[in-house]
């Protein structure tokens, strides 16, 4: 069973009399543990697809099954819960709460999940040390560098142990060196078995992933598997593989391998 | 669990937001401050009036009726109709004393104002009450020093007087007034007693700025045929009606009122005061309610306005929270908390302001910032916050997460 199964999804925007097809007809399966990049020129529908995958937006047509449940029929409350527990977002512009410290930012998803205070604190501290920010927990976003902010965002995205990490241009606002750091972090997470989907228009960024889906005009133009060797074996886990214990299923099978 | 964590988070964020816009927040709460201040002052005033009224009534005695030429609360027409009435004379008082069977005590009252002088000290004009020894009962007087004048002294029109507590402290600050010779108008009288402090009537005039003297002396010294008031102590509230009936019969006979003509005198009663007070109190309350409602309304609009601003400023934040898993009700709650917090801050400031104001008011009325008033003020603040914050908060909660995130 795929983690994500979207069938003939479309997304239309009505602009006055004109209808914009942000997504026309997209069918895609993504397996647990995949590290996938979505590429395409500007306006090709990457962010739109990303928002749908992240349950922030609902498709105009088609079917979206996430983790065996049909998302297309869910109400707002259920979608909020899915975003809270199953999805971790990383945005280009970090999207941290300005008036909250790094720690408070990372604790927020757990507040919504109803995690008790002491555990919340502990897990947030762990998540922040895992991204190398143990000494910055009480800093507010404006007291952190861009790379550090994005690490806080990654920690926040992962702290509820979601099924999927969704990143829309995560390195877009970072210089190349910090960008590489974040990508290394993703690499590490992928090796641990996390499912990661990165939207990017940089070939370099995409090359870090294992599979590239190319969009054009709201359609899948190409879907390629990158064959890599030498993916370093994990030593100490940064984050425990998401659902590693709960779903000890078969290793991810890339589509096309059937 | 989740709920409390969300409330706590909401409080933390709202507090941070309010602090970040300190000036704006204070200006916004101004309307609420004024509104809650009005509420507090209104409640204090009504409380004060009520308790003054209660004590005033009990000073005068609720089971006393007053036979007088005019009614206490007459409108213009009644006044025009009754202005030619004849005075109530001492003969009529004697008649009532002889004939009335259903009363406990009866005393005449003649009133005027005279200057007081003792040695070099000029005490200004005070109320002079000419009456009989029965005034002790009809007026519910308690003596703090000496005695009230006796029946024999009334009989003999003796130059003796009993003074109120304020007169005693003012005229005789360093000595006992008893046995002193006090000049009342152009006569000199011996002080034989001091009446215990009675306070102010309805918070207005002091009942202790008074000199009692024998009504017979009053006739000889000041005014030969004054218009008298007859104080009748019934002895029980239940007996008032019966006594009234009897009094009307006796007075009509004594004054030879033709049969069929309306009474040419009035029998006044505390109850008239109660009714009049309720009317006045009701008017004050209605007016206060209007002013309060208006200022709270204006304050609430201010809060609503600033909450709309706050919501649109923080659209991005709403988007972020929604992406992380906040439900609609979480967002709703957060902004409601913010507006309630603003209003409660306004309420607290208003209470702090009203404390000194109450102290000033307390000089005239028995006013105090009671716990119930504090509760009312906070309740009103919270209600204003919820009502005026609801629409902005609801709007925030209904935003689409994607659109909210897209804003800059
Ligand atoms: N809210 C909206 N209303 C109208 N049109 C929209 C809206 N959001 C997106 N679109 C349109 O849908 C299309 C796809 O947008 P999308 O943001 O998914 O592109 P993208 O691939 O992420 O581009 P970029 O690389 O520039 O971020 C675009 O043509 C865009 O104009
Ligand atoms: Mg985009």
């Amino acid at each position: 069973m795929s983690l994500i199964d979207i069938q003939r999804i479309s997304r239309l925007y009505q602009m006055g009399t004109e209808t914009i097809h942000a997504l026309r007809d997209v069918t895609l399966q993504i397996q647990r543990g995949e590290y996938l990049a979505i590429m395409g020129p500007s306006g090709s529908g990457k962010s739109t697809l990303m928002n749908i995958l992240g349950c922030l937006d609902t498709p105009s047509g088609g079917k979206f099954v996430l983790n065996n449940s049909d998302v297309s029929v869910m109400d707002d409350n259920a979608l909020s819960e899915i975003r809270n527990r199953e999805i971790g977002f990383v945005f280009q512009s970090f999207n941290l709460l300005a008036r909250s410290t790094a720690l408070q930012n990372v604790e927020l998803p757990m507040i919504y999940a109803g995690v008790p205070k002491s555990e919340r604190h502990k897990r947030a501290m762990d998540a922040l040390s895992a991204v190398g920010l143990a000494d910055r927990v009480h800093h507010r976003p404006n007291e952190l560098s861009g790379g550090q902010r994005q690490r806080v965002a990654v920690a926040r995205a992962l702290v509820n142990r979601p099924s999927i990490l969704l990143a829309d241009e995560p390195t877009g606002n970072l210089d190349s060196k910090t960008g590489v750091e974040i990508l290394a972090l993703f690499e590490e997470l992928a090796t641990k078995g996390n499912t990661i989907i990165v939207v990017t228009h940089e070939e370099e960024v995409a090359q870090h992933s294992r599979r590239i889906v190319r969009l054009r005009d709201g359609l899948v133009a190409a879907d390629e598997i990158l064959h890599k060797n030498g993916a370093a074996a994990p030593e100490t886990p940064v984050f425990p593989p998401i659902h590693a214990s709960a779903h000890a299923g078969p290793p991810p099978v890339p589509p096309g391998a059937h | 669990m989740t709920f409390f964590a969300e409330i706590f988070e909401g409080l933390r964020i709202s507090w941070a937001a309010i602090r970040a816009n300190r000036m704006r927040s204070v200006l916004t709460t101004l309307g609420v401050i004024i509104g809650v201040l009005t509420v507090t002052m209104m409640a204090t005033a009504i409380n004060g009036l009520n308790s003054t009224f209660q004590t005033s009534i009990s000073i005068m005695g609720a089971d006393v009726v007053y036979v007088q030429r005019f009614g206490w609360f007459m409108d213009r027409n009644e006044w025009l109709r009754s202005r030619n009435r004849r005075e109530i004379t001492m003969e009529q008082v004697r008649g009532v004393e002889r004939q009335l069977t259903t009363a406990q005590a009866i005393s005449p009252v003649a009133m005027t104002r005279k200057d007081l002088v003792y040695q070099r000290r000029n005490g200004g004009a005070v109320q002079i009450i000419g009456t009989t020894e029965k005034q002790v009962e009809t007026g519910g007087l308690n003596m703090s020093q000496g005695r009230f004048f006796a029946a024999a002294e009334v009989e003999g029109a003796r130059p003796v007087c009993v003074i109120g507590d304020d007169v005693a402290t003012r005229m005789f600050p360093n000595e006992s007034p008893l046995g002193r010779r006090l000049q009342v108008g152009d006569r000199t009288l011996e002080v034989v007693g001091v009446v215990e402090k009675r306070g102010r009537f309805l918070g207005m005039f002091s009942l202790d700025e008074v000199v009692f003297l024998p009504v017979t002396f009053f006739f000889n010294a000041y005014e030969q045929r004054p218009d008298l008031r007859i104080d009748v102590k019934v002895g029980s509230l239940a007996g008032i009606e019966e006594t009234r009936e009897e009094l009307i019969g006796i007075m009509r006979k004594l004054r030879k009122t033709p049969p069929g003509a309306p009474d040419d005198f009035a029998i006044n009663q505390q109850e008239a005061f109660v009714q009049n007070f309720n009317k006045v109190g009701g008017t004050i309350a209605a007016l206060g309610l209007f002013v309060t409602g208006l200022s709270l309304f204006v304050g609430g609009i201010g809060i609503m306005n600033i909450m709309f601003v706050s919501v649109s400023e923080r659209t991005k934040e709403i988007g972020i929270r929604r992406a992380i898993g906040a439900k609609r009700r979480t967002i709703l709650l957060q902004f409601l908390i913010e507006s309630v917090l603003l209003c409660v801050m306004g309420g607290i400031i208003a209470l702090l302001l009203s404390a000194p104001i109450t102290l000033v008011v307390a000089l005239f009325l028995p006013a105090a910032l009671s716990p119930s008033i504090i509760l009312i003020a906070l309740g009103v603040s919270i209600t204003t916050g919820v009502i005026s914050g609801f629409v902005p908060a609801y709007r925030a909660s209904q935003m689409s997460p994607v659109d909210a995130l897209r804003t800059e």
Side-chain angles (χ1 to χ4, degrees), chain A residues 46-47 168-169 199:
Chain A
K46 305 185 294 295
S47 296
D168 195 346
E169 307 271 10
V199 167

Side-chain angles (χ1 to χ4, degrees), chain B residues 27-278:
Chain B
L27 289 179
T28 307
T29 51
L30 218 56
V32 177
I33 293 176
I34 293 171
V36 175
L37 202 59
T38 325
V39 171
T40 328
M41 295 328 295
M42 276 313 303
T44 312
I46 290 174
N47 266 4
L49 276 180
N50 264 331
S51 67
T52 318
F53 187 67
Q54 294 307 334
T55 47
S56 298
I57 290 293
S58 62
I59 292 172
M60 291 176 61
D63 62 338
V64 180
V65 296
Y66 304 87
V67 184
Q68 285 174 281
R69 188 146 63 121
F70 303 113
W72 279 345
F73 305 102
M74 293 195 305
D75 61 29
R76 213 178 109 78
N77 283 335
E78 287 171 302
W79 172 251
L80 288 176
R81 257 187 277 119
S82 58
R83 73 191 148 158
N84 291 328
R85 289 176 180 177
R86 286 161 294 136
E87 288 96 3
I88 293 179
T89 62
M90 197 58 199
E91 289 68 52
Q92 290 166 22
V93 177
R94 300 262 184 253
V96 171
E97 280 173 345
R98 260 195 317 277
Q99 298 176 32
L100 192 66
T101 57
T102 57
Q104 192 181 308
I106 299 161
S107 67
V109 165
M111 284 194 273
T112 184
R113 291 185 73 79
K114 294 287 175 208
D115 286 336
L116 297 185
V117 178
Y118 175 64
Q119 293 173 349
R120 286 265 134 76
R121 185 172 293 120
N122 194 327
V126 303
Q127 180 151 56
I128 308 302
I129 292 181
T131 182
T132 67
E133 74 288 351
K134 289 283 196 281
Q135 181 68 28
V136 174
E137 278 176 81
T138 55
L141 303 181
N142 290 314
M143 306 303 293
S144 64
Q145 296 178 55
R147 58 179 178 83
F148 206 80
F149 46 79
E153 287 162 320
V154 177
E155 200 81 5
R158 305 294 305 151
V160 290
C161 68
V162 169
I163 58 180
D165 193 72
D166 285 357
V167 173
T169 46
R170 198 146 48 82
M171 299 304 292
F172 308 97
N174 306 314
E175 54 192 323
S176 166
L178 297 184
R180 306 288 166 204
R181 298 182 63 76
L182 179 67
Q183 195 183 324
V184 180
D186 49 9
R187 299 304 182 100
T188 305
L189 295 90
E190 183 190 339
V191 180
V192 298
V194 179
V195 176
E196 216 172 60
K197 192 161 187 65
R198 295 200 292 170
R200 290 171 172 275
F201 183 73
L202 295 182
M204 293 178 292
F205 52 86
S206 170
L207 294 170
D208 303 307
E209 283 280 345
V210 67
V211 173
F212 296 94
L213 41 77
V215 68
T216 42
F217 182 87
F218 189 100
F219 297 148
N220 295 345
Y222 306 119
E223 217 175 312
Q224 222 155 30
R225 297 186 66 82
D227 179 33
L228 293 173
R229 183 181 87 195
I230 313 175
D231 296 5
V232 178
K233 184 171 179 67
V234 179
S236 74
L237 287 174
I240 287 181
E241 231 9 75
E242 198 190 340
T243 306
R244 249 184 111 87
E245 295 296 318
E246 202 189 352
L247 269 173
I248 290 173
I250 294 169
M251 284 301 287
R252 285 181 73 96
K253 222 165 24 178
L254 291 171
R255 290 166 73 84
K256 302 191 174 63
T257 315
D263 296 342
D264 58 348
F265 55 92
I267 296 180
N268 291 316
Q269 195 179 328
Q270 307 264 352
E271 200 185 282
F273 254 117
V274 178
Q275 280 165 3
N276 208 55
F277 173 79
N278 285 345

Side-chain angles (χ1 to χ4, degrees), chain A residues 13 15 20 22 41-48 169, chain B residues 406:
Chain A
Y13 290 108
M15 301 283 285
I20 296 165
S42 186
S44 56
K46 305 185 294 295
S47 296
T48 306
E169 307 271 10
Chain B
R406 219 197 307 275

